[in-house]
Amino acid sequence: MWHARLLRCLMMMMLFFMLSQTTTANDVNKSSEAKALLAWWPYGNASHHCNWQGIYCSKVGGVIGIKLYSHYLGCQLESLNLSSFPNLVSLSIDRCSLEGSIPEYIGLLSSLTILSFSGNQLTGGFPVFLTNLTRLEYLDLSGNSFGGELSASLTNLTRLKYLYLASNSFSGPIPSNFGNLSQLEFLNLGQNSISGRIPLHIATLVSLNHLDLTHNSLVGLVHGNLSRLDYLDVSSNQLSSNLSFQYPCNLTHLDLSMNHMTGALTTILVCKDLEYLDLHSNNFVGEQLDTLKFTYLKFVNQSLNNNLTAIASSPSSMQDIGIGLLCIALSGQSTCKNHMPRNKLVHHLTIFLPIILGFCFLLLLYACYKKHNATEKKIQLETEKHGNVCSILNYDGTIAYEDFITATEDFDLKYCIGTGGYGSVYEAKLPHGKTFALKKLHRFEANQPEFDHSFKNEIQVLTNLRHKNIVKLYGFCLHNKCNFLVYEFMERGSLFCALSSSELAVEVDWMKRVNIIKDVAHALAYMHHDCSPPIVHRDISSNNILLNSEMEGFVADFGAARLIDPDSSNHTAIVGTLGYIAPELAYNMIVNEKCDVYSFGVVALETIRGKHPGDLLTSLNCRGIALEDILDKRLPYPTNRSIEKEIIRVCDVAAACILTDPKCRPTMRNVAQILSC
């Protein structure tokens, strides 16, 4: 019996010794990881390293993820001693001014699935040892100075889904065995010096939906069965094949510009879902494409194809900026003459086009002036008619003042859904089922000149605005009892309310927030650049951005809006919402489009952060800040790379919009273009 007890005691002692040794080894390992990070990690502090921003640990405390973006390190990648983290699954150090070459020990981090060193200053040839990382799904080395030929051993990475090698100096051909990357979804080799032909095996990649080979020296054919891609850009190469696309074609983006492509364009007609099409600077023959045959097309360029003729049977798209369209406009003929020398055409365009455009601009300016005066006179006449006028632009023309009184039970508080800058907003559901929003100017406010001016100003401004992301004004009512505006009803209320509610904020996910910001940007770009004279809103805030049932953003509340007179100093009293007003208004009192740009930047940051950015505005102006410190903590961190890049783009644009010097801010047209890339 005592022998058995002794044996059990010895076994317990041995087990305890083994556990203590394991714990000690783990502690030593954790200590070495923390020590390695402390040497260079910018966000280190006294807390445990697993709590540091951008560091992700396993349940036992080992570092499995490192993510650092846009923080200046300015050192050799070798000096970061990343070999101290053998269990890394994800490693992303982007735009941190890293120098030198990628050390070979990176190829020993066998658990890596994500590896990104984009936007640094790394050099050398393609790191062949990276092909040992057989679990890798995401590889991004774009925006560096790598050179030499791409290694055929790249195809060892059979799990690879995303490969970004753009904006380097790679040369030589694309490896012919790329077809082995059967799971590849995204391939970007653009802006290198790659030569040779596009390998036939690329056409066998069944998962590939995005292919970007732009700005290289590729020659030969574009394979017709690449048309099953969603995105294809092979512009600025030396491709010279006849164009051929096969059905079904899933392309939404096609750019073949600046090559030597030949043949007719009719084969592209199988790509019915195209939204972007650029064919300029090639050798295509026959007729131009009839853009009306594409349902979703937003941009098309068929210019600088000398052997293309304009379509005689149908009008050209407004967005078709080809030479053929200019010929039609200037000569009054349906097609361009193929024998017209290029320099003669350019000469005529140089002389007559500015004259025609100037004349059209003057006509447009005169029409806007007449319309503005007519609206102002209409309001004045209707006000003088006994105060009992209701002008509602509706479907059947029968809605009157009494209909809204009945629908709101004489503006009962239970129908009130909010308060605007100079009145309350009510929901009015009429018998035929249509719901309107009524902004009612109260009796007291109607007797105040400033409120009355804002009310009539909003009518004048909105009457002339036509944009899908500007709230629609159906009409107005000037009555001896009360005055109100009749708007399109927005089911989701204001952006401020959506972000203030924890339940609604989670429903407004990252892409919905990015799209709302884009909607607002396009609306402001329209007001600033497509209206004559330009219109400045002067009160852009999250309270004045409304959301419909589809979570689309609409700019509202134009009571403070102002037309910009190019011949005036445009001095103004300070109006707007505190926290959104551009700082220069405090000392020069001059309103211009850059005031709206500043307010837009604040709203964009507020949308991403989930609350007003506050002190973050100063931080972004002075030193920059990590993405994790900006994001709304109520939503999970975006794991999808494309969504993360969209958010980063929004934050970069917003940071430029809130710059203290208004001259350094972008225009809203620039902002809209960047966000739509």
Side-chain angles (χ1 to χ4, degrees):
M1 179 69 71
W2 67 271
H3 290 90
R5 289 180 179 176
L6 179 61
L7 183 60
R8 281 199 298 270
C9 289
L10 288 172
M11 291 178 65
M12 291 293 291
M13 291 175 65
M14 290 177 64
L15 181 59
F16 177 76
F17 176 76
M18 291 172 64
L19 287 172
S20 65
Q21 288 297 102
T22 304
T23 303
T24 303
N26 284 338
D27 289 342
V28 169
N29 183 52
K30 294 175 191 175
S31 175
S32 64
E33 288 183 343
K35 190 179 296 184
L37 281 171
L38 276 171
W40 58 276
W41 191 252
Y43 305 118
N45 52 47
S47 65
H48 192 277
H49 64 276
C50 288
N51 297 324
W52 295 354
Q53 178 184 333
I55 299 297
Y56 306 91
C57 292
S58 64
K59 292 182 179 179
V60 297
V63 176
I64 59 172
I66 294 177
K67 184 177 179 62
L68 188 62
Y69 179 84
S70 196
H71 192 101
Y72 180 77
L73 295 177
C75 61
Q76 298 284 319
L77 178 55
E78 176 79 38
S79 66
L80 302 187
N81 194 19
L82 296 171
S83 60
S84 300
F85 314 101
N87 299 315
L88 278 177
V89 175
S90 174
L91 175 59
S92 299
I93 305 178
D94 302 321
R95 298 190 183 182
C96 292
S97 301
L98 290 175
E99 301 172 352
S101 58
I102 298 179
E104 289 194 19
Y105 65 71
I106 298 292
L108 302 177
L109 302 177
S110 57
S111 298
L112 278 177
T113 61
I114 296 175
L115 178 61
S116 178
F117 291 126
S118 67
N120 287 292
Q121 299 165 22
L122 300 175
T123 57
F126 179 82
V128 179
F129 48 82
L130 295 184
T131 60
N132 297 327
L133 304 175
T134 53
R135 296 185 181 181
L136 208 59
E137 297 179 5
Y138 182 102
L139 177 59
D140 188 352
L141 302 180
S142 61
N144 283 284
S145 299
F146 293 110
E149 295 191 3
L150 296 175
S151 172
S153 58
L154 251 175
T155 56
N156 293 343
L157 304 175
T158 54
R159 297 188 183 183
L160 205 60
K161 295 180 180 179
Y162 301 91
L163 179 58
Y164 298 77
L165 299 178
S167 302
N168 280 287
S169 299
F170 290 118
S171 58
I174 301 173
S176 59
N177 56 351
F178 250 53
N180 295 342
L181 300 176
S182 59
Q183 298 188 42
L184 200 62
E185 299 174 7
F186 189 109
L187 176 59
N188 190 339
L189 304 178
Q191 299 183 53
N192 281 286
S193 300
I194 297 172
S195 57
R197 296 176 177 269
I198 301 175
L200 284 170
H201 292 295
I202 284 185
T204 66
L205 297 175
V206 294
S207 299
L208 192 65
N209 56 50
H210 186 115
L211 178 60
D212 191 333
L213 302 175
T214 182
H215 285 89
N216 281 291
S217 301
L218 295 167
V219 298
L221 308 178
V222 175
H223 308 293
N225 49 358
L226 289 179
S227 58
R228 57 179 171 68
L229 297 168
D230 176 73
Y231 183 106
L232 175 60
D233 189 344
V234 291
S235 60
S236 300
N237 281 283
Q238 299 172 27
L239 300 169
S240 57
S241 63
N242 281 337
L243 198 58
S244 174
F245 286 101
Q246 301 174 359
Y247 182 84
C249 175
N250 299 316
L251 281 168
T252 61
H253 182 110
L254 175 60
D255 193 340
L256 304 175
S257 61
M258 300 183 72
N259 280 287
H260 307 297
M261 305 287 293
T262 59
L265 299 178
T266 52
T267 179
I268 297 180
L269 292 174
V270 301
C271 304
K272 295 295 186 183
D273 295 332
L274 276 172
E275 298 177 10
Y276 181 100
L277 177 61
D278 196 344
L279 305 171
H280 82 272
S281 303
N282 278 286
N283 299 313
F284 293 120
V285 298
E287 279 194 342
Q288 291 182 354
L289 282 174
D290 185 352
T291 56
L292 298 179
K293 293 184 178 180
F294 295 91
T295 306
Y296 307 107
L297 201 59
K298 298 176 182 176
F299 174 88
V300 58
N301 187 353
Q302 304 177 62
S303 65
L304 302 180
N305 283 280
N306 292 334
N307 297 317
L308 275 184
T309 59
I311 303 170
S313 58
S314 62
S316 298
S317 167
M318 286 296 291
Q319 293 168 309
D320 189 332
I321 58 173
I323 292 296
L325 177 60
L326 296 178
C327 283
I328 294 170
L330 292 177
S331 66
Q333 298 174 357
S334 60
T335 59
C336 295
K337 297 186 180 298
N338 293 333
H339 61 270
M340 181 184 290
R342 176 79 55 83
N343 57 352
K344 185 176 180 181
L345 175 62
V346 172
H347 175 72
H348 283 98
L349 291 178
T350 304
I351 295 175
F352 294 110
L353 186 58
I355 298 173
I356 294 174
L357 292 177
F359 182 70
C360 292
F361 176 77
L362 289 174
L363 286 177
L364 181 63
L365 198 62
Y366 179 73
C368 289
Y369 173 76
K370 294 285 287 183
K371 190 172 184 179
H372 174 73
N373 280 353
T375 304
E376 191 171 2
K377 289 178 181 178
K378 182 179 180 181
I379 295 172
Q380 184 177 357
L381 288 172
E382 290 177 342
T383 306
E384 294 170 355
K385 285 184 181 179
H386 314 295
N388 190 18
V389 175
C390 194
S391 172
I392 308 300
L393 312 177
N394 58 84
Y395 301 107
D396 55 16
T398 61
I399 302 174
Y401 173 80
E402 289 75 15
D403 294 308
F404 291 109
I405 294 296
T406 303
T408 59
E409 298 179 28
D410 199 10
F411 295 102
D412 192 287
L413 280 177
K414 66 183 179 182
Y415 295 99
C416 184
I417 57 176
T419 302
Y422 54 87
S424 297
V425 182
Y426 295 81
E427 179 181 352
K429 187 172 184 179
L430 299 182
H432 59 64
K434 180 67 178 177
T435 302
F436 296 92
L438 309 181
K439 182 189 285 188
K440 176 176 176 283
L441 189 64
H442 302 306
R443 180 76 63 83
F444 169 77
E445 293 162 338
N447 293 328
Q448 305 299 313
E450 63 271 21
F451 289 120
D452 184 61
H453 173 75
S454 295
F455 180 84
K456 294 178 179 177
N457 185 68
E458 187 153 7
I459 296 173
Q460 292 175 18
V461 171
L462 280 175
T463 299
N464 296 316
L465 290 181
R466 295 289 183 272
H467 192 275
K468 69 184 186 69
N469 294 116
I470 293 177
V471 67
K472 184 184 294 184
L473 176 70
Y474 284 116
F476 56 91
C477 187
L478 302 176
H479 195 275
N480 55 4
K481 293 182 180 179
C482 66
N483 300 333
F484 58 83
L485 302 173
V486 184
Y487 287 108
E488 178 182 9
F489 181 70
M490 294 292 164
E491 295 83 353
R492 294 299 187 126
S494 71
L495 176 61
F496 174 80
C497 291
L499 296 177
S500 299
S501 166
S502 297
E503 183 178 348
L504 284 177
V506 174
E507 189 177 344
V508 189
D509 59 31
W510 291 124
M511 277 314 298
K512 287 177 182 174
R513 297 190 188 199
V514 168
N515 288 333
I516 290 168
I517 293 168
K518 290 181 181 179
D519 291 339
V520 177
H522 286 293
L524 291 176
Y526 164 79
M527 290 165 55
H528 291 181
H529 302 284
D530 297 324
C531 293
S532 181
I535 298 172
V536 177
H537 188 282
R538 295 205 297 171
D539 194 13
I540 293 295
S541 69
S542 57
N543 258 320
N544 291 335
I545 306 302
L546 303 182
L547 308 177
N548 66 6
S549 58
E550 304 298 325
M551 288 294 183
E552 296 173 313
F554 293 78
V555 177
D557 203 338
F558 284 78
R562 179 162 174 177
L563 305 177
I564 296 299
D565 184 355
D567 298 323
S568 170
S569 62
N570 293 303
H571 278 275
T572 180
I574 296 180
V575 296
T577 304
L578 288 177
Y580 301 87
I581 301 173
E584 65 269 15
L585 277 176
Y587 54 85
N588 65 17
M589 307 288 282
I590 297 175
V591 63
N592 57 39
E593 295 93 330
K594 293 299 180 74
C595 300
D596 278 354
V597 174
Y598 180 89
S599 302
F600 167 82
V602 178
V603 170
L605 290 172
E606 180 177 357
T607 307
I608 296 300
R609 199 180 191 206
K611 59 182 179 180
H612 190 279
D615 294 339
L616 194 65
L617 299 175
T618 305
S619 301
L620 283 169
N621 255 315
C622 297
R623 56 179 176 82
I625 195 166
L627 181 63
E628 288 83 355
D629 290 337
I630 300 176
L631 297 182
D632 190 343
K633 299 299 187 293
R634 294 171 294 182
L635 294 182
Y637 189 91
T639 54
N640 184 292
R641 176 69 173 175
S642 61
I643 295 178
E644 183 187 33
K645 284 192 172 183
E646 289 277 358
I647 296 172
I648 290 170
R649 184 185 300 162
V650 167
C651 293
D652 287 344
V653 168
C657 290
I658 62 170
L659 291 172
T660 305
D661 185 354
K663 294 179 181 178
C664 297
R665 297 173 201 154
T667 64
M668 285 310 306
R669 175 170 285 170
N670 296 147
V671 169
Q673 289 172 344
I674 293 170
L675 294 181
S676 297
C677 286

